[in-house]
Amino acid sequence: MIRMENVIKKYTMGEEEVYALAGVSMTVKEGEFVAIIGPSGSGKSTLMNIIGCLDAADSGIYSLNGTPIEHYSERELARLRSRQIGFIFQGFNLLPRLTALENVELPMVYQNIRTAEREKRAKEALERVGLGGRMNHKPGELSGGQQQRAAIARALATKPSLILADEPTGNLDSRTGREILSLFEEIHEAGNTIVLITHDAGVAARAQRQVKIQDGRIVGEEESHGNTILEDGMEIHCGK
């Protein structure tokens, strides 16, 4: 589903060029649940923006569902984002004046999906995340965990091929965060592809596979259910 080869992204700061991504190569297969983990300044946010087609690489190849995106126009990228990628953010990004149901419906308005179909999909998505009884509540009437559930429902309702989550538990207490991660596991088990961005090793461990990034480079990969870690091209076999 995702293929990156030697992706480079750099910024100019004064007279100095700073590499946010310094030759990233990685793949994500359809149906995988992958966590990209790294400290602040590691390049994970830049990587997320490129995966989500919110920014473009300076060089290298990025293909989504087999299609290289470097020649897409802004309009084509906007259409791709709305139809193929479901975004989940740390800050929920719900509109305060709309109900949970209306918030979930909103992306489908921009897809020109008919009213009856929008409402049907939104209700199904809210039921799926356990908010069937809170559809008509506005964000201010929902807890943090419920708001994140509504945000997840909004991502699911558009039936994207990829769900991209940026620090989805960052604004939640530990118990609520665990509940949200359990929900992600259920969504993955239902066949959805998920890429989760985090700095938290405990959160990353809940994914099927972890990709570690530091200083703009992939420095290791780890199968969460296995015992092989790749560090700078070397295999290290660890006991469970």
Side-chain angles (χ1 to χ4, degrees):
M1 173 171 287
I2 291 172
R3 181 173 68 90
M4 288 185 161
E5 292 184 14
N6 198 32
V7 168
I8 292 174
K9 182 67 177 180
K10 57 187 177 182
Y11 300 96
T12 301
M13 299 181 67
E15 298 181 355
E16 184 180 1
E17 284 189 338
V18 177
Y19 283 78
L21 297 177
V24 167
S25 298
M26 62 174 286
T27 60
V28 176
K29 297 178 182 178
E30 184 176 358
E32 273 197 297
F33 180 7
V34 176
I36 297 173
I37 179 170
S40 178
S42 61
K44 64 182 185 298
S45 295
T46 302
L47 183 57
M48 182 205 73
N49 288 338
I50 292 174
I51 292 173
C53 300
L54 298 167
D55 199 357
D58 292 318
S59 63
I61 297 171
Y62 171 37
S63 296
L64 180 62
N65 290 323
T67 303
I69 68 161
E70 59 262 29
H71 301 304
Y72 274 43
S73 67
E74 285 298 323
R75 185 173 182 177
E76 289 170 331
L77 286 173
R79 181 177 297 177
L80 185 149
R81 287 192 298 267
S82 69
R83 297 181 183 276
Q84 295 195 39
I85 304 172
F87 292 93
I88 301 167
F89 298 100
Q90 178 177 344
F92 318 136
N93 288 15
L94 301 173
L95 296 182
R97 295 185 179 182
L98 301 184
T99 64
L101 182 63
E102 291 167 338
N103 267 288
V104 174
E105 284 189 70
L106 190 59
M108 293 182 281
V109 173
Y110 300 119
Q111 292 182 6
N112 296 317
I113 296 173
R114 292 181 178 180
T115 303
E117 177 66 13
R118 288 200 313 261
E119 186 173 340
K120 175 176 176 289
R121 285 198 201 178
K123 287 182 176 179
E124 287 175 350
L126 286 164
E127 291 279 2
R128 185 175 176 184
V129 301
L131 285 182
R134 309 285 285 180
M135 293 185 187
N136 295 315
H137 288 70
K138 294 181 179 179
E141 300 169 323
L142 302 174
S143 68
Q146 289 170 336
Q147 289 184 62
Q148 191 60 290
R149 286 175 182 270
I152 293 170
R154 180 181 56 194
L156 292 172
T158 60
K159 299 183 178 180
S161 59
L162 170 66
I163 295 173
L164 186 57
D166 181 22
E167 300 281 7
T169 62
N171 282 341
L172 305 175
D173 62 71
S174 58
R175 181 183 63 81
T176 306
R178 288 193 296 270
E179 292 174 356
I180 293 299
L181 290 172
S182 294
L183 179 57
F184 273 107
E185 289 172 343
E186 292 172 15
I187 293 167
H188 170 237
E189 288 171 4
N192 293 94
T193 306
I194 302 171
V195 174
L196 185 153
I197 311 296
T198 184
H199 69 280
D200 188 322
V203 171
R206 300 287 291 268
Q208 181 181 16
R209 177 163 63 95
Q210 300 174 48
V211 176
K212 301 177 181 181
I213 185 169
Q214 187 170 342
D215 298 327
R217 301 178 185 275
I218 302 298
V219 297
E221 294 192 27
E222 179 179 353
E223 299 289 337
S224 295
H225 58 271
N227 63 349
T228 300
I229 303 173
L230 300 180
E231 296 287 357
D232 295 328
M234 298 178 61
E235 287 192 355
I236 305 172
H237 297 277
C238 309
K240 292 185 180 180

